[in-house]
Amino acid sequence: MTAASAGAAAAMGMRVKAGPWGRALVDAATRRTDIVAVSADLKKYTDLSAFAAAFPDRYIAVGMAEQNLMLTAAGLARAGLTVVATSFAVFLGRRAADCAIMQIALPRANVKLVGATPGISATFGPSHTSIDDLAVWRAVPNMVVIDPADPVEAAQALTVALDYDGPVYLRQPFDRPAASRTTDLPPFELGKAAVLRDGADVGIVASGDRVPEALTAADTLAGDGIDATVLRVSTIKPFDGDAVADIAARTGRLVTAENHSIIGGLFSATAEALARRGLAVPVTPIGVPDTFPPFGSPDFTAELLGMTARHIADAARAAVARG
């Protein structure tokens, strides 16, 4: 597939070559014959090509029909299989949500929903920017919700999710150059946050592809004499509220950074965790404000919406200045 024929897909950084996530799925399926995959006409763009080539009798393409994707996945799970169902995150969280809730979440079907191009990763504008998927799925009973920091952690999270008996929603970042790992991160643990950097002046709670931005912001703040703790929260549900509360108690101020609306996602989960524990600590949200993102590259959109490392650092400075 040439760049010219790929069009907008190429601009989004989509690639046919298997990334860490696709290789992890093939490795797991080689060990376990119960793993099957279903896709809504997005095999190439959700890193399923290698799996489909290796296990053609365990791969099903349902076409551009996400509701049918959910029902097919649910039926396979009821037959005793472990099902990976992939599409763009925005279509799973909106178009197919009712089918997934009734047929997968309610009966605790063993289905792993994989949402590609989460947040502002897409360049197709409001129709493809999934700014509300974390809010949708964390509100659904029985659903585990994971927002990995990069493709490497997404592969780790997939391996863990396949061993978990029940429904999981896993965001899938694309293996584009901008998403490549630039620093060593602790291995993914379901339900556990990880401190990536320790500081006493301000806490930055980050998820998804805002984790590298948070680390960059912490480096910038260090140059200003501000020591920031960076907490990676990859499991949005169940949420590691104790880890967040510990940092809030030590620093007295938090900034959250997420590739999602500031309504219903990481910021909301963080504020809820503090409220439940009776901690009156201010939290400044960095994420998509209450608006539909415009067309544009992820970097352009993040700058326009105030979601970059610079904006995280500015929010942290302001929080420290307020005392």
Side-chain angles (χ1 to χ4, degrees), residues 89-98 100-101 105 113 130-141 143 145 169 171 236-237 260-261 263-265:
V90 67
F91 300 146
L92 295 180
R94 295 178 185 172
R95 184 175 302 163
D98 181 60
I101 291 168
L113 303 179
S130 183
I131 60 172
D132 47 17
D133 55 319
L134 298 180
V136 169
W137 297 117
R138 68 182 287 261
V140 175
M143 188 68 72
V145 182
Y169 175 70
R171 277 182 152 194
I236 305 301
K237 183 184 174 185
H260 184 269
S261 170
I263 300 172

Side-chain angles (χ1 to χ4, degrees), residues 47-313:
D47 209 358
L48 278 178
S49 294
F51 179 90
F55 308 103
D57 58 336
R58 291 156 62 181
Y59 170 74
I60 300 174
V62 301
M64 291 187 289
E66 277 75 17
Q67 293 174 335
N68 191 31
L69 176 75
M70 297 298 97
L71 300 178
T72 300
L76 292 168
R78 293 195 180 200
L81 299 171
T82 300
V83 187
V84 175
T86 72
S87 184
F88 287 164
V90 67
F91 300 146
L92 295 180
R94 295 178 185 172
R95 184 175 302 163
D98 181 60
C99 292
I101 291 168
M102 290 294 98
Q103 301 301 325
I104 295 174
L106 179 62
R108 292 197 79 256
N110 197 20
V111 176
K112 319 307 168 185
L113 303 179
V114 179
T117 62
I120 59 170
S121 301
T123 62
F124 296 158
S127 65
H128 283 62
T129 46
S130 183
I131 60 172
D132 47 17
D133 55 319
L134 298 180
V136 169
W137 297 117
R138 68 182 287 261
V140 175
N142 297 332
M143 188 68 72
V144 168
V145 182
I146 305 172
D147 186 16
D150 59 21
V152 174
E153 191 182 20
Q156 297 171 355
L158 173 66
T159 301
V160 172
L162 290 170
D163 289 334
Y164 173 81
D165 185 15
V168 174
Y169 175 70
L170 170 64
R171 277 182 152 194
Q172 184 190 44
F174 276 108
D175 191 18
R176 54 162 61 93
S180 61
R181 177 161 292 191
T182 57
T183 185
D184 289 334
L185 299 178
F188 171 81
E189 290 186 72
L190 185 63
K192 295 293 185 181
V195 174
L196 305 182
R197 181 171 180 150
D198 203 9
D201 296 326
V202 63
I204 303 174
V205 181
S207 71
D209 66 6
R210 296 303 93 180
V211 171
E213 299 290 327
L215 289 169
T216 300
D219 289 339
T220 300
L221 291 168
D224 298 336
I226 298 174
D227 291 329
T229 289
V230 177
L231 183 72
R232 181 195 68 183
V233 181
S234 297
T235 308
I236 305 301
K237 183 184 174 185
F239 190 72
D240 193 351
D242 289 340
V244 170
D246 176 69
I247 293 170
R250 288 194 294 108
T251 65
R253 56 192 69 85
L254 297 180
V255 174
T256 58
E258 60 191 308
N259 186 0
H260 184 269
S261 170
I262 59 173
I263 300 172
L266 178 66
F267 169 58
S268 295
T270 297
E272 291 163 14
L274 298 182
R276 286 179 181 274
R277 290 162 176 80
L279 290 174
V281 174
V283 185
T284 303
I286 297 293
V288 179
D290 189 17
T291 187
F292 286 105
F295 287 83
S297 70
D299 290 343
F300 169 83
T301 305
E303 178 65 34
L304 188 66
L305 297 178
M307 297 170 58
T308 69
R310 175 171 59 82
H311 296 101
I312 297 170

Side-chain angles (χ1 to χ4, degrees), residues 16 18 21-27 29-30 35-39 41-62 84 86:
V16 176
W21 187 93
R23 293 192 293 272
L25 181 59
V26 170
D27 290 344
T30 301
I35 295 175
V36 299
V38 191
S39 176
D41 197 34
L42 291 169
K43 175 181 67 176
K44 292 184 292 186
Y45 305 138
T46 57
D47 209 358
L48 278 178
S49 294
F51 179 90
F55 308 103
D57 58 336
R58 291 156 62 181
Y59 170 74
I60 300 174
V62 301
V84 175
T86 72

